[in-house]
Amino acid sequence: MSSKLFRLEATYQNYAWGKVGSQSAVAQYAAHSDPSVKINESEPYAELWMGTHAKGPCRKIDTNELLSDLIKKDPSNMLGEKIIAKFQSKDELPFLFKVLSIEKVLSIQAHPDKALGKILHAQDPSNYPDDNHKPEMAVAITKFEGFCGFKPLDEIADELKSLPEFTAIVGEDVAQEFINNIKQDATDGSDDDKENRKLLQKVFSKVMSASDEVIAIQGDKLIERAHSSPKDFNKDDLPELLIRLNKQFPQDVGLFCGCLLLNHCRLNPGEAIFLRAKDPHAYITGDIIECMAASDNVVRAGFTPKFKDVKNLVEMLTYNYGTVDDQKMKEESFERSSGAGESVLYNPPIEEFAVLETTFEKSSGVRHFKAFEGPSIVITTKGNGYITTEGVKLKAEPGFVFFIAPNTEVDFESIDQDFTTYRAFVEA
C-alpha cells in the first residue's frame, strides 16, 4: 500500500449524549468501515476521532500501526518540513478531525487559548490534559442545533425586564445596571464596547455563582412560565427549548447561562460555524463534522455533571456578543481542484486546519486536486467512490477514513452522485 495514501481505522467514543445505536452516524460509519464492530442498539455512539490525539488515535488499517508512529518514523514525508517547523512536532497532526452524533445537549463550555492552556495544564493536569488551545469549527451534515456565543445585549436586557426568574438569579442591582448602561452599536474594541463586556461579565458571573438551591427554585419557576406564559419570552422558540433541555438536565444552571444568555443556533446541512477560543458554546442535537486544534481542554459551565471551573471560566471569556450570523463560516470556492463535482472550502482564521467539502450532486466523474503542503485526513460521509494517486486506487464508502501525505496529487472519483467527502488539512 502507498505511503502517500492509505486507509485509517478511526476511534469511536460512547459518551452519554450521543445518538443511540444505529441512529448515530458515528455508529453507522464505525460499523461500515470495520465489519467487526457490532452496533449495540442500547448504547450511545457520540464521536469518531480521526487524528493522532492519544485519547483516540488512528491506526493504519492493514498493519494496525499508530498513525503517530508512522509519522514519527518519517516526519518529513508524513508532515512536511514546513509543518514541522511551524508547529514544532514530528509525531502529531496539529488538528483533530471528528464526526459527532448528538442526541442530548453537550455541556456549555469554552476552551482556553494557548497561554491559558499552558497555565491550566500546569496547575491541574487531571482536568486539563494538555497545554494547547482548542479553537474549533462545526459543519452540519444533518440539521443541527447549538449554542454559540453571547446574544446581542439588547436581547439579554429584554429578558431581564420580562423574566423575573432571571433577575432573581442576577440580582436587581446588577440587572438594572446592565439594562441602564449597555451601549447599542458600540464599535468593537471601543471604550463603550469594553464597558459592555464588563457589564456582561457581571451578569454571567452572578449566574455562574448562584447556589444550586437558588438555581433549582428559579429554574422551576422559569419552566412553569415557559409552559403557562410563552409570550413572555422574546423568542418564539425559547419556551420549547427551555422545556426540552430541562427534561435532559432538570433545574440546571444551563437554563440561564445557556438558554437565556447564548445564541440559539440552527444550521442546515453544509452550513458551518467557527468557535473561537474563550467563546462559550454547546451542541444541542444533530450530526456534524468537527475540526479543532489537537487538544481536549474544556472549561465547563452548565448541562453537565462534570467539573465546572467557575472561577477560570468567568475570568477567561472574551465576552464577545452578537448574532449567530457573526459566527457562521463563509463558504469559499477552492481553486486548486478541477473536474467533475464541486469543492467548498471552510477556512477559519487560525493556522491549524481548514476543511474541504467535495460533492458530486451536480456532475459525476473525477475531480483532481493539486498537492497540499501539509498532511490531510479524509472521511466519506455519503455515497461511493474512489480516491487515487500514483497508481493506487482505494474504494471510498461511508465511514471510510484516509490519510493523504503532503505534496500528493489525488483524484476523487464518484461512483454515484451521493459521493460526499470532508477533508481536513493544514498548510504552512
Side-chain angles (χ1 to χ4, degrees):
M1 185 176 284
S2 170
S3 61
K4 296 286 189 179
L5 167 68
F6 51 85
R7 265 189 70 189
L8 294 170
E9 180 181 327
T11 302
Y12 62 87
Q13 312 283 5
N14 300 102
Y15 303 142
W17 48 261
K19 290 188 177 180
V20 176
S22 54
Q23 298 298 310
S24 168
V26 168
Q28 293 171 27
Y29 295 158
H32 191 77
S33 176
D34 180 0
S36 71
V37 174
K38 305 302 179 186
I39 299 174
N40 183 336
E41 295 296 344
S42 63
E43 191 168 10
Y45 293 80
E47 296 189 354
L48 192 73
W49 286 36
M50 300 169 282
T52 53
H53 196 285
K55 187 177 175 181
C58 277
R59 294 177 180 271
K60 191 177 181 185
I61 207 159
D62 59 334
T63 65
N64 206 37
E65 294 172 278
L66 286 170
L67 178 58
S68 55
D69 287 344
L70 293 170
I71 293 172
K72 195 181 301 182
K73 289 178 185 177
D74 192 6
S76 294
N77 286 321
M78 296 289 282
L79 294 178
E81 290 296 337
K82 290 183 178 179
I83 302 302
I84 293 170
K86 188 170 188 175
F87 295 101
Q88 298 297 301
S89 176
K90 291 187 175 183
D91 60 356
E92 289 187 339
L93 297 174
F95 61 83
L96 177 58
F97 202 27
K98 293 183 181 180
V99 178
L100 273 64
S101 290
I102 305 142
E103 181 69 27
K104 296 192 297 185
V105 63
L106 279 72
S107 58
I108 297 168
Q109 58 191 254
H111 307 297
D113 60 14
K114 286 186 176 182
L116 182 59
K118 291 181 183 298
I119 293 170
L120 294 178
H121 177 63
Q123 292 176 343
D124 188 1
S126 62
N127 282 306
Y128 303 103
D130 56 72
D131 64 0
N132 202 8
H133 68 162
K134 193 184 175 187
E136 58 193 24
M137 181 175 65
V139 184
I141 53 178
T142 62
K143 285 186 177 294
F144 165 83
E145 282 183 82
F147 292 121
C148 60
F150 286 105
K151 296 177 180 181
L153 301 188
D154 59 338
E155 290 186 20
I156 297 172
D158 286 345
E159 290 172 342
L160 285 168
K161 292 173 187 175
S162 62
L163 303 174
E165 300 82 10
F166 193 12
T167 298
I169 294 291
V170 172
E172 188 68 37
D173 290 348
V174 170
Q176 288 304 315
E177 183 184 8
F178 183 88
I179 292 166
N180 294 333
N181 291 288
I182 56 170
K183 304 293 192 298
Q184 300 296 333
D185 303 318
T187 304
D188 190 38
S190 67
D191 288 343
D192 283 349
D193 176 56
K194 291 174 183 176
E195 288 303 312
N196 280 346
R197 292 173 192 244
K198 288 178 183 178
L199 290 167
L200 180 55
Q201 183 177 33
K202 281 188 178 182
V203 170
F204 184 76
S205 178
K206 284 289 189 179
V207 170
M208 294 309 303
S209 302
S211 69
D212 291 344
E213 180 182 8
V214 170
I215 291 292
I217 292 169
Q218 298 303 328
D220 284 346
K221 291 180 179 179
L222 185 68
I223 297 303
E224 175 57 33
R225 183 178 299 277
H227 281 289
S228 62
S229 301
K231 291 184 179 179
D232 291 349
F233 296 83
N234 59 9
K235 295 285 186 179
D236 291 341
D237 60 353
L238 187 50
E240 184 277 331
L241 180 66
L242 284 159
I243 292 166
R244 177 164 32 119
L245 298 190
N246 186 62
K247 289 178 181 176
Q248 296 179 14
F249 286 91
Q251 302 178 330
D252 192 272
V253 67
L255 299 173
F256 296 92
C257 71
C259 298
L260 299 189
L261 283 173
L262 303 185
N263 286 303
H264 182 205
C265 168
R266 284 190 174 91
L267 299 180
N268 292 315
E271 291 186 309
I273 52 172
F274 176 60
L275 304 161
R276 296 162 293 199
K278 297 185 173 184
D279 279 354
H281 59 274
Y283 302 147
I284 298 172
T285 185
D287 299 284
I288 60 172
I289 293 289
E290 186 182 50
C291 199
M292 65 198 68
S295 172
D296 200 32
N297 282 330
V298 179
V299 187
R300 296 177 180 86
F303 294 136
T304 178
K306 295 181 179 179
F307 170 62
K308 300 185 190 78
D309 191 347
V310 172
K311 181 179 181 294
N312 275 314
L313 184 70
V314 170
E315 290 178 355
M316 71 180 265
L317 297 183
T318 61
Y319 296 97
N320 287 320
Y321 51 91
T323 66
V324 172
D325 287 341
D326 292 337
Q327 294 189 70
K328 280 190 177 181
M329 293 289 300
K330 302 295 186 290
E331 298 177 6
E332 303 175 27
S333 59
F334 190 69
E335 297 178 354
R336 287 181 288 159
S337 62
S338 59
E342 182 179 24
S343 291
V344 172
L345 178 66
Y346 303 94
N347 190 21
I350 54 167
E351 298 179 330
E352 284 86 351
F353 64 84
V355 173
L356 193 62
E357 177 197 65
T358 300
T359 57
F360 290 86
E361 291 178 358
K362 296 179 181 178
S363 61
S364 57
V366 177
R367 188 163 190 83
H368 178 73
F369 294 87
K370 294 180 180 179
F372 293 0
E373 288 180 324
S376 54
I377 289 182
V378 180
I379 183 170
T380 303
T381 57
K382 286 196 304 184
N384 297 274
Y386 295 96
I387 302 179
T388 63
T389 186
E390 298 178 3
V392 176
K393 187 172 185 176
L394 300 180
K395 185 72 182 299
E397 300 177 10
F400 283 26
V401 179
F402 304 87
F403 178 84
I404 302 175
N407 306 309
T408 304
E409 295 196 3
V410 293
D411 290 328
F412 287 19
E413 180 183 349
S414 66
I415 295 175
D416 53 54
Q417 288 185 307
D418 289 333
F419 186 41
T420 301
T421 62
Y422 289 89
R423 181 179 183 180
F425 66 96
V426 59
E427 295 194 287

